[in-house]
Amino acid sequence: MDALMLARIQFASTTLFHFIFVPLSIGLALLIAIMQTMYVFKKDEIYLKMTKFWSIFFLINFAIGVVTGIFQEFQFGMNWSTYSRFVGDIFGAPLALEALLAFFLEATFIGLWIFGRDKLPEKVHLACIWLVSIGTMLSAFWIMAANSFMHNPVGFVLQNGRAEMNDFLALLKNEKLWVAFPHTVLGSFATGAFFVIGVSAWYIYKKRDVDFFKRSINIALVVGLLSGLGIAFTGHAQATYLMHAQPMKMAAAEGLWEDSGDPAAWTLVTSIDVENKTSSNRIDIPYLLSYLAYGKFSGKVEGMNTLQEKYVLKYGDGNYVPPVKTTFWSFRIMAGTGGVLIVLSAIGLFLSFRKKLETSTKYLKFMVPVIFLPFIGNSFGWIMSEIGRQPWVVNGLMKTADAVSPNVSAGKVLFSLITFSTIYLILGLVMVYLFVRVIKQGPHEKVKEDVSTSDPFETGEMQNATK
């Protein structure tokens, strides 16, 4: 493999691994804030225990997530120096603000929240965890602001051989940012909710601390259902955005080579032949693609062949079709997981309302592996979004092949890829070990053994040791 392909593999693998931790931190911070709020206003000790128990997972995940994020910064300078020079004036601003404002907010108030328990006034301590939750969302906002520029470059002028910022507000008002950010944050809420649901389901199934975990799962089911519905609505907003901003990505996500009819049918599954540019054995749902694209049941969608001709006229010779199969199936896996999460959370709330949750052993067993479903949806959503943008690293401005560092050899990239992967594997194993250990221990604090202490000078042990 050449340096470009290895650099792409490294960026994809490290980003996907980092993206395991970020949504879980955002989701758990919100749930813990809700639980602590219920404790402050209801004065029921069980909500305080819930806050303490779930915060252990949050803190472990947050700490490891921060470490995995550091490697992301390294890569821009190591493997993507041409890209960094070209957009550094723009890309650096939101990343710096993420570190200076959002991360500092999180780190400061996490410290106050951990060490301020029983020392700060109750409502001030509660405000700390809400500020932590807001900080996690602000982090996502600034990262998404940087990423949105890559999809829809705005607020810049080309001069001195690079893109230089001339309108910071345009960066914040980027249309891509305001369709992608809510979708990403709601996906994070669902990730935290289904983690709590899965762990709670296991405890209820095992008949351990049933009251504690029934209350936990009920809170998480509400958050999970609302998040799932929000994901669906914001996902639709993303589709309508793609139609006018990135139509090639939309066409690839549909496996649509030729222009559709009017109204356009949405393809559930198909067999894609990239070499011959055909999609056969289609199972279509009439009208649905028109609705996804325009919010109405009419309107045709341009296919990749038509768009390719337009792009050649606009940008010059080249292949502007992204990896179609990856884009097509990533979109369906992402959308499918979102739909399943809505159904499962609705079933859980129905069972809880009918007071049958505790006895629904099949549902409880099924919900344990469902913990991983939001992670799958998040990952494939990110793959669809980034792969669908290819061959551009910055849409319409710079191709990925032109962004790689010119003086970094394939051997060097391979070395850093192996190093990062090894470190990530160790971090992943540490996280799993710690999570399993906390789950086995349960929500009740261990009673500290009576440890008697003695002064070695009084007992004579110190004098004996110096003889």
Side-chain angles (χ1 to χ4, degrees):
M1 289 187 193
D2 59 13
L4 172 62
M5 182 54 70
L6 287 167
R8 296 179 74 168
I9 292 172
Q10 183 180 117
F11 190 83
S13 59
T14 54
T15 304
L16 278 172
F17 187 77
H18 179 59
F19 203 43
I20 291 172
F21 300 92
V22 176
L24 188 57
S25 285
I26 295 173
L28 283 178
L30 175 74
L31 283 158
I32 292 165
I34 292 171
M35 290 170 183
Q36 186 164 340
T37 303
M38 294 180 77
Y39 164 68
V40 169
F41 288 96
K42 288 194 171 188
K43 303 298 179 189
D44 188 337
E45 286 291 321
I46 198 166
Y47 291 109
L48 178 61
K49 290 181 180 176
M50 287 161 61
T51 302
K52 291 180 177 178
F53 177 69
W54 295 110
S55 68
I56 299 172
F57 296 103
F58 168 69
L59 293 172
I60 293 169
N61 184 75
F62 181 82
I64 298 177
V66 169
V67 177
T68 61
I70 292 171
F71 294 100
Q72 302 301 308
E73 309 284 342
F74 289 154
Q75 289 188 79
F76 292 120
M78 290 167 56
N79 298 340
W80 304 101
S81 62
T82 306
Y83 164 81
S84 298
R85 276 193 294 273
F86 184 66
V87 299
D89 188 64
I90 300 164
F91 206 67
L95 293 185
L97 287 167
E98 191 272 336
L100 291 172
L101 298 180
F103 182 70
F104 273 25
L105 182 70
E106 292 173 69
T108 301
F109 284 96
I110 278 180
L112 287 170
W113 182 64
I114 293 171
F115 299 108
R117 193 185 298 279
D118 302 325
K119 298 180 179 65
L120 292 172
E122 197 173 62
K123 291 187 177 176
V124 174
H125 188 249
L126 174 64
C128 289
I129 188 61
W130 275 109
L131 286 169
V132 170
S133 177
I134 292 168
T136 61
M137 287 183 262
L138 279 176
S139 275
F141 176 82
W142 291 115
I143 297 297
M144 292 303 300
N147 181 263
S148 296
F149 178 82
M150 298 165 73
H151 291 266
N152 184 34
V154 292
F156 73 99
V157 59
L158 286 175
Q159 59 184 13
N160 303 316
R162 64 192 192 124
E164 296 184 358
M165 186 189 301
N166 66 350
D167 187 352
F168 181 69
L169 284 178
L171 208 64
L172 299 183
K173 292 190 292 185
N174 193 336
E175 187 183 358
K176 169 66 178 176
L177 173 63
W178 290 104
V179 296
F181 173 66
H183 195 62
T184 305
V185 168
L186 287 164
S188 302
F189 293 164
T191 305
F194 276 85
F195 177 81
V196 173
I197 291 169
V199 174
S200 300
W202 182 81
Y203 273 101
I204 297 170
Y205 175 73
K206 294 287 183 181
K207 309 295 182 193
R208 289 179 57 185
D209 301 294
V210 172
D211 183 47
F212 180 97
F213 286 104
K214 274 174 65 178
R215 297 200 196 197
S216 294
I217 202 171
N218 281 333
I219 294 171
L221 283 168
V222 172
V223 174
L225 180 59
L226 294 177
S227 301
L229 293 171
I231 290 168
F233 282 109
T234 54
H236 175 62
Q238 292 231 60
T240 55
Y241 164 80
L242 286 182
M243 270 311 298
H244 62 84
Q246 293 177 296
M248 183 64 88
K249 185 193 292 188
M250 185 71 171
E254 295 305 316
L256 192 66
W257 296 96
E258 303 296 338
D259 297 353
S260 75
D262 186 359
W266 184 73
T267 302
L268 181 63
V269 293
T270 185
S271 176
I272 297 170
D273 184 343
V274 176
E275 188 175 342
N276 295 309
K277 298 182 178 180
T278 59
S279 298
S280 57
N281 303 318
R282 307 173 71 101
I283 298 177
D284 292 337
I285 301 175
Y287 298 97
L288 188 53
L289 180 55
S290 289
Y291 183 77
L292 288 174
Y294 304 109
K296 59 183 182 180
F297 294 106
S298 63
K300 68 177 185 178
V301 176
E302 288 184 318
M304 287 177 278
N305 291 338
T306 300
L307 292 166
Q308 168 69 16
E309 291 176 5
K310 288 184 176 181
Y311 284 17
V312 168
L313 289 174
K314 186 175 182 180
Y315 300 113
D317 289 338
N319 180 11
Y320 298 95
V321 177
V324 181
K325 290 182 181 177
T326 307
T327 309
F328 180 88
W329 288 111
S330 296
F331 176 64
R332 273 140 193 83
I333 294 171
M334 174 193 68
T337 55
V340 171
L341 294 180
I342 293 173
V343 172
L344 290 176
S345 51
I347 292 172
L349 281 172
F350 175 76
L351 292 171
S352 180
F353 178 75
R354 297 291 301 271
K355 301 189 184 304
K356 292 183 176 179
L357 185 62
E358 190 178 339
T359 56
S360 302
T361 54
K362 288 183 180 177
Y363 176 80
L364 293 171
K365 285 175 69 176
F366 186 73
M367 293 308 290
V368 176
V370 169
I371 287 174
F372 300 103
L373 206 54
F375 293 102
I376 294 170
N378 292 335
S379 298
F380 278 97
W382 182 81
I383 289 170
M384 181 262 176
S385 180
E386 304 305 307
I387 291 287
R389 190 186 59 223
Q390 300 303 317
W392 302 105
V393 64
V394 181
N395 196 28
L397 289 181
M398 174 180 261
K399 292 181 179 176
T400 305
D402 300 325
V404 72
S405 298
N407 299 321
V408 178
S409 67
K412 290 176 182 175
V413 182
L414 182 61
F415 175 77
S416 59
L417 172 60
I418 294 171
T419 304
F420 289 171
S421 300
T422 305
I423 294 170
Y424 278 7
L425 177 64
I426 294 169
L427 289 172
L429 291 174
V430 168
M431 189 191 78
V432 171
Y433 169 76
L434 292 174
F435 271 25
V436 170
R437 187 176 174 182
V438 175
I439 291 170
K440 283 183 177 178
Q441 183 175 312
H444 299 295
E445 294 179 2
K446 279 187 173 180
V447 178
K448 292 181 180 178
E449 295 177 0
D450 182 20
V451 180
S452 59
T453 59
S454 58
D455 187 338
F457 287 96
E458 292 180 355
T459 58
E461 293 175 7
M462 184 58 72
Q463 289 83 344
N464 292 334
T466 56
K467 285 181 180 178

